[in-house]
Structures are given as structure tokens and as C-alpha cells.
Amino acid sequence: MSLLVVGSVAFDAIETPFGKTDKIIGGAATYISLSSSYFNKKVNLVAVVGGDFPKTDIEMLQKHGVNTEGLQIKENEKSFFWSGKYHNDMNSRDTLITELNVLGSFDPIIPESYQNCDYLMLGNLAPSVQRTVIERMKKRPKLIVMDTMNFWMDIAWDDLMKTISMVDVLSINDEEARLLSKEYSLVKAAKKIMAMGPKILIIKKGEHGALLFNQKQVFFAPALPLEEVFDPTGAGDTFAGGFIGYIAKTGDISFQNMKRAIIYGSAMASFCVEKFGTERIMNLSEKELDERVQDFVDLVQFEVNI
Ligand code: AMP
């Protein structure tokens, strides 16, 4: 089933307690596309980069089956640049630099060949741009999943509310859920956020897993306890890519299947954090993924007689 991914394609500079990178390839849509490519032969990308973005990175995406027909290249402008520094606990980070550059005036053009996509993943971007994408789809996709972050809650609240009201699934982290709902309890937060529009809410809790809510049920996916965590950048996007990628592959949008999808998303995210940037998720084998999903099954499976 066809999948459309929209979001930032960027340069990132990352600092963690284990090291520091110069400008490397990053961006929400990069992580989402790479991650979902393990489930779908073709992933349709809509994004924008500047003339400074290396052709080799675009070719790397293409090698993973990412269709870059919808990737705009603004030759005389600079790519989006983000820089972040992680604290010692690796769960929290400070954003050091956000230079919107090409993203500041991004007009998302949907190629005709993408128009019939059944699944739409709106990665982190200005909520007004995310909304434009929904409005430009001639046929509403079967499922629209949206990711966002505190940055947009701070500077584009009204736009964010409008876009959230138009999507089926919202995927955010616990801190963002509290900010959005003004509730500390995640159960209360989930109720308030679902009243804003989305029928399904995913709350990511970093190394403490992820929660999947609908109006009646809640499901928990753990994060795999890992020996080495080098860089959590992009873990949320990689999770979202695994989630939507699995759903697009199976073509099933039931809550039951979404439970499986958040396990696949968590498995993909567990690889992402093992190396800096996109390094680990660029070269995964099917066997590695299968074994990792089995690790998740083993982690939570137990029997009890009550
Ligand atoms: P995550 O660690 O999952 O929150 O995602 C990190 C990625 O989000 C990085 O690769 C950044 O390039 C990208 N990013 C950070 N801030 C923004 C923003 N304001 N808009 C779009 N993408 C962003």
C-alpha cells in the first residue's frame, strides 16, 4: 500500500556524553523514510533542501526505495539545520540551534503520482505546512499520522490546534503531551488530546516505552533495555516510520494491528539509538529486525494463573 512521508530533511549537529558530530544528515522525514523503507518497497517523500545538501545523501535515500520526485532542491538556499545537546541521562536534551532556512518558506507540492497514497505520515514541520499537505491531497488517505514537537507549541499554537483536529493519529512524547493538555497525568492528558480531534494517541516515553490510546483502550509497548545508547536523535521519527511502515505494509488500521505496529516502531527506534544519526538504520538486515522484534515479544511475555 502506498505511503507518503512529509517532514524535514536536514543537517544535524549532535552532542551526547559519548561524542560530537559535525553536520550530518538528519531531519524527521529522513528518519521516517529510512525506517518505513524496511516495510515498503517504495516510500514517497515530500520535503525541501538547499543547494548545499549532498547528492550522495539523496542517492542514499533513493537506494532505500525512497521516491524523491517530491524533494524540492532550492539551489541558492541553505538546508534546515538543527543542533542539540543531550544531558547525561540521555533522555532530555537542549536544542542549541534551529535554523529554518529553506523550511521557512516551504510550499509542499504533492506530485500527481503521489495523489493516491493510502497512508500519510506528517513528520515534524510547521503545522500550517502539515495542514497544507492534507488539503492538497485530492483523496483523503485511509490514515493520517502526525508528529509534532514543543517548538511548534511555543510559536504556532493556533495553527497546531487546527492541524491536530484533522488527523487520525497523533504521536508525541510525554513532555509534549503534558504541555499540550496542561495535565500531568498521561491518562487525563490522553483524554484531553483525543478530544482535540485524533482518534488515536501515541505517547512516547523514551527509554520507558510508548503508550497507545484510543477512547476505550490503552496498550503499552516497552523499550528494549539496551547495553549501549549512543544517540537518541531521530528515535521518535524512526519509531513513527516503523509504525506507519508496518501499517502501510499490512493495510490494516485496526487497534489490534496498531499494537503490533508500535512494537515494530519500538524495534526500529531501538536500532536508531545504538549509533550516531542515521548510521544504524541505514544498514539493517531483515534477520536483525526479526530477531529484535522477537526480543520484544520475549521481554513482555509471561504466564500466570489467577
Ligand atoms: P527526534 O529526535 O525524533 O525528536 O527528531 C530529531 C530530528 O528532528 C532531527 O533530525 C532534526 O533535524 C529534526 N527537527 C528538529 N527540530 C525541528 C523542527 N522545528 N522542524 C522540523 N524538524 C525538526
Side-chain angles (χ1 to χ4, degrees):
M1 301 265 182
S2 49
L3 169 63
L4 168 54
V5 173
V6 187
S8 51
V9 171
F11 286 130
D12 288 348
I14 306 159
E15 196 176 331
T16 82
F18 301 103
K20 211 173 158 172
T21 68
D22 286 329
K23 282 189 175 180
I24 56 171
I25 182 175
T30 303
Y31 286 100
I32 295 168
S33 302
L34 283 174
S35 178
S36 56
S37 76
Y38 288 93
F39 305 89
N40 299 273
K41 282 203 185 76
K42 191 159 130 194
V43 176
N44 299 304
L45 173 68
V46 165
V48 63
V49 291
D52 54 353
F53 201 74
K55 301 276 171 292
T56 47
D57 284 337
I58 298 176
E59 282 160 14
M60 179 280 290
L61 290 171
Q62 289 165 342
K63 270 194 208 124
H64 279 85
V66 180
N67 181 1
T68 56
E69 189 189 341
L71 177 68
Q72 301 171 34
I73 304 173
K74 304 271 178 198
E75 286 301 342
N76 298 319
E77 295 178 45
K78 281 166 76 180
S79 301
F80 174 73
F81 174 57
W82 176 84
S83 169
K85 181 176 176 179
Y86 287 84
H87 301 160
N88 278 342
D89 66 2
M90 294 286 263
N91 259 339
S92 51
R93 72 182 177 206
D94 293 326
T95 289
L96 303 177
I97 303 170
T98 300
E99 283 175 12
L100 289 178
N101 299 327
V102 282
L103 269 196
S105 57
F106 180 36
D107 181 29
I109 296 161
I110 322 280
E112 201 48 45
S113 64
Y114 290 13
Q115 276 296 345
N116 279 324
C117 282
D118 290 313
Y119 299 92
L120 170 59
M121 178 69 226
L122 298 168
N124 194 8
L125 268 186
S128 57
V129 177
Q130 293 175 315
R131 193 167 63 250
T132 303
V133 172
I134 301 176
E135 287 165 353
R136 288 183 178 171
M137 297 297 288
K138 291 184 189 150
K139 182 187 98 190
R140 188 182 162 92
K142 253 172 93 175
L143 193 77
I144 303 179
V145 182
M146 170 186 177
D147 195 354
T148 189
M149 73 186 298
N150 48 1
F151 181 78
W152 305 112
M153 294 177 201
D154 293 341
I155 67 162
W157 181 267
D158 291 346
D159 263 330
L160 185 63
M161 285 299 129
K162 272 193 218 157
T163 309
I164 285 181
S165 75
M166 296 166 77
V167 305
D168 302 305
V169 182
L170 181 69
S171 169
I172 47 179
N173 70 31
D174 45 357
E175 194 189 325
E176 290 154 355
R178 290 184 171 119
L179 206 62
L180 196 58
S181 63
K182 304 185 176 63
E183 291 285 354
Y184 184 79
S185 151
L186 293 180
V187 176
K188 283 188 185 165
K191 279 192 185 147
K192 272 201 177 175
I193 295 169
M194 285 187 285
M196 295 171 188
K199 294 180 286 293
I200 306 278
L201 175 69
I202 297 170
I203 301 183
K204 298 166 286 183
K205 288 156 60 71
E207 64 170 332
H208 304 297
L211 294 162
L212 174 74
F213 291 91
N214 70 5
Q215 293 293 347
K216 293 192 190 132
Q217 305 161 79
V218 53
F219 176 72
F220 171 68
L224 203 64
L226 294 168
E227 237 170 79
E228 300 199 288
V229 174
F230 273 101
D231 171 21
T233 308
D237 305 311
T238 303
F239 170 93
F243 175 79
I244 192 77
Y246 181 78
I247 290 192
K249 178 185 170 186
T250 52
D252 175 354
I253 58 170
S254 67
F255 191 74
Q256 208 52 30
N257 199 46
M258 285 188 187
K259 290 184 186 180
R260 287 187 277 272
I262 75 164
I263 297 291
Y264 274 89
S266 304
M268 289 305 299
S270 74
F271 286 119
C272 176
V273 302
E274 287 179 339
K275 290 202 171 150
F276 269 100
T278 54
E279 200 182 331
R280 185 70 175 102
I281 59 162
M282 273 199 281
N283 293 302
L284 277 178
S285 69
E286 212 169 297
K287 184 167 172 280
E288 282 176 309
L289 178 56
D290 288 348
E291 285 173 0
R292 190 56 64 95
V293 171
Q294 187 60 49
D295 288 343
F296 274 80
V297 174
D298 295 343
L299 184 68
V300 287
Q301 203 167 46
F302 65 94
E303 280 165 28
V304 64
N305 291 320
I306 300 176

